[in-house]
Amino acid sequence: MSLLKNSALSVMTVFQLLCSIFWNLLSKFRSGLKSEIGVFFPMLILRVLENVLQPSFLQKMTVLSLLDKISQDSQVIVDAFVNYDCDVDAPNIFERTVNGLLKTALGPPPGSVTSLSPGQDMTFRHESVKCLVRIIKSMGSWMDQQLKVGELNPPKSFDSENLTENHTYLEDANSADYELHPEANSEFSNAATLEQRRAYKIEIQKGVALFNRKPSKGIEFLISTKKIGSSPEEVASFLKSASGLNESMIGDYFGEREEFSIKVMHAYVDSFNFENMGFGDAIRFFLRGFRLPGEAQKIDRIMEKFAERYCKCNPNSFTSADTAYVLAYSVIMLNTDAHNSMVKDKMTKADFIRNNRGIDDGKDLPEDYLGALYDQIVKNEIKMKAESSVPQSKQGNSLNRLLGLDGILNLVWKQTEEKPLSANRNLLKHIQEQFKAKSSKSEIVYYAVLDPTILRFMVEVCWGPMLAAFSVTLDQSDDKEATSQCLQGIRHAVHVTSMMGMQTQRDAFVTTVAKFTYLHCAADMKQKNVDAVKAIISIAIEDGNNLQEAWEHILTCLSRFEHLQLLGEGAPSDASFLNTSNSESEERTKNNVNYPSLKKKGTLQNPAVMAVVRGGSYDSTSAGVKSPGLVSSEQINNFISNLYLLDQIGNFELNHIFAHSQRLNSEAIVAFVKALCKVSMSELQSPTDPRVFSLTKIVEVAHYNMNRIRLVWSRIWSVLSDFFVAVGLSENLSVAIFVMDSLRQLASKFLEREELANYNFQNEFLRPFAVVMQKSCSTEIKELIVRCISQMVLSRVNNIKSGWKSVFMVFTAAAADERKSIVLLAFETMEKIVREYFPYITETEALTFTDCVKCLITFTNSRFNSDVSLNAIAFLRFCAVKLADGGLASNDKSKGDDSCVPIVKDSALDGETCVEKDDNMSFWVPLLSGLSKLTSDPRAAIRKSALEVLFNILKDHGHLFTQSFWANIFKCEIFPIFGFPLDSKEAYKEEGCFSPVSGPLHPDGGSIWDSESSVVAAECLIDLFVQFFDLVRAQLHQVVSILVGFIRSQGQGPSSAGVAALMRLAADLRGKLSEDDWRDIFLCLREAAGSSLPGFVKLLKTMDTIEIPDVTRPNDEIESSSGRGVIKDGSEDDNLQTGAYIISRMKVHIALQLLIIQVVSDLYKMHWKLLSVNIVSILVEIYSSISSHSHELNSQTTLLVKLDKICTILEISDPPLVHFENEAYNNYLNFLHDLLMNSPSLPEEKNVEAELVSVCKIVLQRYLECSGFGYIKKAEVHCFLPLGSAKKEELAARTPLVLTVMRILASLETDCFTKYVSQLFPLLTDLVRSEHCSLEVQRLLSSVFRSCIGPIVMK
């Protein structure tokens, strides 16, 4: 209390002594004086500190000196925040101190009246800034100490439940505190608990502030955030006990008509105990907690409830509660009348007694009782709590009310002006009783904390005021010591915020110091701005590990600083090289005299200097570019003089930051590189002044950090890779070239390191080259990339490893380029790689070899030079030779691996894969697949070469393949060449047997194959199949189907090639073909013959609807009839065109049928001894079906007439229908006759004799029909007309077939002929009577009668 009584004395000796005593109490006894310090600190320190306008200079200097001492003790600062700012019932000492220092640092507001002189004000400002710097420095020191201790002793989770109440911690500066007061209640608390307490306090304060504006909203907020309960009793308890609530607002809330507010008011009143308490004392005690509202109805409700409560506590006091209600209302009126200066005529005692007559249920209350009550009210006014009558201070009044300190402060502040100290003895006594009550409470705990995380909450409180104080001082003051203090404070603030991971606060401080460097407007720079540059360099070196995104601001400053240095030295700008051609750049380099040193020459009117002198905003990319107006010589001279200031910072400090990057931790280096790339991008994309400073530093930083572990370096390169790609695609060609050259330098350095097996980093490192090569439109860039890759490959071939993938991607893109020079340049290197460095290609994995093959195939598509394409194909064969010779480096490395390498093709059978135990098999697949696709090349030379190389590789090295791998080759590589579907179920579609016609590589109908390609393909296929027949026997059906498809082709070349290939296949494999194999061959032929029949027949039916004009009419008649509408809408031409198309299709169809029957006949003649009965049955079906089909075609008289008319009108040749029928039956007869003669056992099993005679009958009948005789009854014959010329031609065409029949009949044995003579004799006799075109018919007919029929008759 002595401190309290003397705290406001103006005697400086006493005040200084008070401060000294308080410092000793604070530093040594704070754990036992928590409540007292919570009162003394605001009264003794904050009272003076927050007085900005009319402070005592000596007192405030004493307080600032005391705060300087406190600020140097980091533990005191932390303890103050933990025990007061995080305690709901305590003042925010730390927050108010920081805010008070901010107000002092900013000085009196503009326009205000102050008693301070300018010198005193400046002293206050500097001292307050100094204190703020000390505070943040102490926070950083405490953090570093705790983190260092945490590293030595891993932190344990503190649980307040498991901590002893008297647990103490020892600190050098504070050991006395805990040694002298072991009984003090202290305990450790972790950051999480403090965070909850701090958040709780902030929420409570927010709710109180909202209540003081609008009570109902405040209560709703507190209930919704669960700071108070939702019951009326809990709300009333809060309103009764909480500090900081506005008493008037409490009264207004009690007087509201809402149901909940009324319940709260009732609960509030019911919480009082008025037992044995006089009425005057009771109402005085009741009204101390709130101010009655001004509205009478509200007062009425409150007094009504008070009266009820008073009577309930004192049942014998009044007759009824109405008496207490009326009396309470009278007392309120008396209190207002007696103590309101506006009331002139005061109420007398007699008036008061008279006003209250008859209120006790019609009776009067004792006059003595009413008189005593009157005297009590008049002498002692009924007031709210003491603080309610104290005028509110503009500064800190809300906190004072919240903490209950306004009464104390009013007592101290005004005791010398208004009242003597003795007048407040009762108040002092009351305060003393409060202190005793608080000290006796066991729940008062002094918390200690060791977790540095608490600094996060402290920074949230102080960072804003500190930033404001530092930035304003830096901006307004040129005092070296003051600005140095501010920069030091910012450095400490960055250290704390970065270590705590507070990104927003950290970036705010870094941005502030970066802007204050004034590097963006160098003409206005001063020494303090140069000091800011030094500070930002120190921040980069000291706290680089935690700067993260803030690196961008620092690196931007370094970039601008380097730019100013270059201007000062007179070096030409980067833009002079990047925005001009090479020749112009060389010329400018020679003429560097145009860029003399500004420091030596003085002013210089060049655009670069003009832009810098004009300056710009901190965020602008190019300073002063768009700023209008000229620059005066004076401005330039000021700028040049400022350049000398920058000499204080040498290149060593600048480069040290980048060299120091190798000491950054894993997260920091990635953030550093990201920021550096972003700054470099901004430099390079400048429209007027592109620069390469940061780009060169990127290369340096990458070189410095190249020895980091792969995991970290991969993350670094992921950032750099995207950067190089983005800039490499820049529209500025010079910038892109410079970037790619920088990438080359970096890649060359990195390729000096060897990569272990199964890693992929070399590929990632070279990937930017490939991406830029694929996306860039610049010839110069592409040519540069090809040269860079060529140089690196040829110089570091043994270290490429996984990088081969990117290398081949580059060359693949080059091979597909439209410029000849790039293609030839890339192929030159590709040739060396394949010839000299082939083992390195497959050193890592098979996919690399796949990329090599794709690259070579792309070169084969080159349109500039056929030699390149052919050489690429030759290299593919060379690759195959290397593979076959086992020249793969990876083979030796993979011997220990027993796992199988799957060979997967996208077009594999339903996802089926071929798995081989030899790793080499995986290398063959891309090679063979690439050649297979090349067979579809539109260039004949390339197509032929690809076919030959593919099949030569298979023939030369097929012995290395297993049967399953051969199956995969045929299905995935060979069959697709011929358009053969991989699923055999789809081999026969609408028109029957598969033909290469449906494949994309068929030689007809607009396809790219010619006859020569067809011949080569068929020959190669058969050569391969015959050579490895034992391994590929299962593919016979598909191979024969392909050959039959060739036979079905419309072109003469493919058809001949197919026939020759099939005959050769049968000849070369005759001894190896089984019955099933022969069956497959002839079934394919049968299907080929019959598959087209349904479609062909359907086509012929369209002729039924076509009307053909009579060719006997003259042309002019046809034209005139057409003009009269006989033939309308041009339908005649359409009909003729349709008929022509049908005739064309018919000729093709007939040729196919004849070719198939010829192939069947040839195969039978060559291999008849190997054919079984079942195979012969298939042959009979083939002959029979084709012969019957030919007979049916010649029997359609109407169709033949229409076709004849069309041929006559269009002057085209008739379809060889008769020839078709003759050839079909001729081959059929010869086949049956050979069977009868050469296979005696077959005729019995298959009844060949009957089939032969049946065919002979058909031939004879057709001949007789043609001769006009036919096989009819003699009774019906009356006369014979001579044959016309057409019939004679047809008869002559059928004559050879009849002669064949005659010879076959003549060769039959007598028994056989006798068996069928009854069927043949009528036909033979008709032949005698018919007309013939050849005497040979009559001669052979005579021979048949003589040799066959004669002996029968003679028996």
Side-chain angles (χ1 to χ4, degrees), residues 522 562-573 592-613 633 635-644 646-647:
E562 187 269 350
H563 189 206
L564 294 177
Q565 278 191 327
L566 291 181
L567 289 178
E569 295 171 358
S573 65
N592 274 348
V593 293
N594 292 333
Y595 295 91
S597 172
L598 293 179
K599 299 175 184 177
K600 296 179 181 179
K601 288 279 185 175
T603 62
L604 182 66
Q605 296 283 347
N606 70 69
V609 176
M610 298 302 100
V612 174
V613 173
S633 299
Q635 288 177 305
I636 295 180
N637 289 332
N638 291 336
F639 166 69
I640 294 172
S641 64
N642 290 340
L643 291 179
Y644 286 99
L646 296 178
D647 288 341

Side-chain angles (χ1 to χ4, degrees), residues 80-97:
F81 179 81
V82 170
N83 289 279
Y84 298 100
D85 291 68
C86 295
D87 191 340
V88 160
D89 299 321
N92 291 335
I93 287 179
F94 179 77
E95 181 177 0
R96 289 185 61 186
T97 300

Side-chain angles (χ1 to χ4, degrees), residues 116 224 284 299 382 463 527 585 637 649 654 670 856 866 890 1022 1024 1060 1062 1065 1143 1226 1256 1283 1330:
L116 295 176
S224 64
R284 187 184 302 276
I299 298 176
I382 298 176
W463 79 273
Q527 179 59 46
S585 298
N637 289 332
I649 305 172
L654 190 67
V670 175
L856 290 173
S866 59
S890 63
I1022 298 307
L1024 181 66
L1062 184 59
L1065 176 68
I1143 292 172
N1226 185 54
C1256 290
L1283 297 175
S1330 66

Side-chain angles (χ1 to χ4, degrees), residues 716-729:
I716 295 174
W717 185 248
S718 176
V719 177
L720 293 178
S721 177
D722 294 340
F723 167 77
F724 281 119
V725 169
V727 183
L729 297 173

Side-chain angles (χ1 to χ4, degrees), residues 703-752:
H703 177 65
Y704 290 142
N705 293 273
M706 203 169 285
N707 292 326
R708 287 184 181 265
I709 61 174
R710 294 280 180 173
L711 185 63
V712 177
W713 179 243
S714 297
R715 296 177 60 196
I716 295 174
W717 185 248
S718 176
V719 177
L720 293 178
S721 177
D722 294 340
F723 167 77
F724 281 119
V725 169
V727 183
L729 297 173
S730 172
E731 295 180 359
N732 189 323
L733 180 60
S734 300
V735 170
I737 291 176
F738 193 92
V739 167
M740 298 315 297
D741 186 65
S742 301
L743 178 60
R744 176 194 60 80
Q745 298 175 32
L746 197 57
S748 299
K749 292 178 182 179
F750 190 82
L751 286 177
E752 296 175 1

